[in-house]
Amino acid sequence: MQLKRDTDYALRIMICTAKHIQKNNYDKGVLKTDIATDTGIPKPAFNRICSRLEEKGMLYTATGAKGEKLLFPGVDFWQQSILTIGEAVEGNMKVFILFDKNASPAPYYKESLTKAQKNLEDVLSDATLESMLETADASKTVSS
């Protein structure tokens, strides 16, 4: 399975923002230009996805003393998961959608696909920004 481009970009933005905030002891925002540069996301896509994340309250932007744009963590920032971030930019993260539920084979595989979707959603929900950064920090410590 591969994430859609916008979900990949949103994850990059959220993780990069989390890393910067963690590094700065949570006390100040992060320059939007730094996040855009660090993630390598084209500017139009970066601005569009930041807007979606802001609409969902995951991030917010403020203007600094020198007129610079800063990103700040939004509501339940550290508990945002791959699933919630993906849903914020894509609308849903459904892998298995049965378009024709009345088609002949649908009754045979619908239950299995519904169960697989639920399992996938559970796994994606467990992968929060907090847990991803903890895992990354732990693996750095082990490899050092």
Side-chain angles (χ1 to χ4, degrees):
M1 177 179 137
Q2 182 176 348
L3 295 174
K4 292 181 181 178
R5 185 193 67 206
D6 283 1
T7 299
D8 173 46
Y9 285 173
L11 278 170
R12 288 189 213 178
I13 291 166
M14 294 291 282
I15 290 169
C16 192
T17 301
K19 286 171 41 182
H20 279 270
I21 289 168
Q22 185 182 51
K23 181 179 172 185
N24 293 315
N25 299 318
Y26 311 98
D27 62 352
K28 55 184 173 181
V30 183
L31 287 171
K32 275 183 117 172
T33 54
D34 287 351
I35 301 300
T37 300
D38 290 355
T39 58
I41 299 169
K43 189 174 182 173
F46 178 83
N47 289 331
R48 178 174 43 80
I49 291 169
C50 280
S51 292
R52 288 185 188 163
L53 295 171
E54 288 182 55
E55 287 170 12
K56 297 296 182 179
M58 294 180 175
L59 294 173
Y60 71 92
T61 301
T63 303
K66 299 176 186 175
E68 70 279 20
K69 296 293 183 188
L70 300 167
L71 281 177
F72 288 89
V75 178
D76 297 326
F77 179 79
W78 296 102
Q79 301 315 309
Q80 297 301 332
S81 67
I82 294 173
L83 182 67
T84 60
I85 294 166
E87 288 175 339
V89 295
E90 301 292 346
N92 75 60
M93 292 285 286
K94 302 287 186 210
V95 174
F96 304 111
I97 298 177
L98 303 176
F99 294 104
D100 189 356
K101 294 178 173 92
N102 297 321
S104 173
Y108 299 104
Y109 61 83
K110 179 182 177 188
E111 187 175 331
S112 295
L113 294 182
T114 301
K115 183 178 177 184
Q117 180 66 45
K118 171 71 172 109
N119 291 340
L120 180 59
E121 288 173 2
D122 289 345
V123 169
L124 295 176
S125 291
D126 288 343
T128 64
L129 289 173
E130 181 177 52
S131 68
M132 286 187 274
L133 264 63
E134 285 174 359
T135 301
D137 290 343
S139 65
K140 281 184 202 173
T141 304
V142 171
S143 64
S144 296

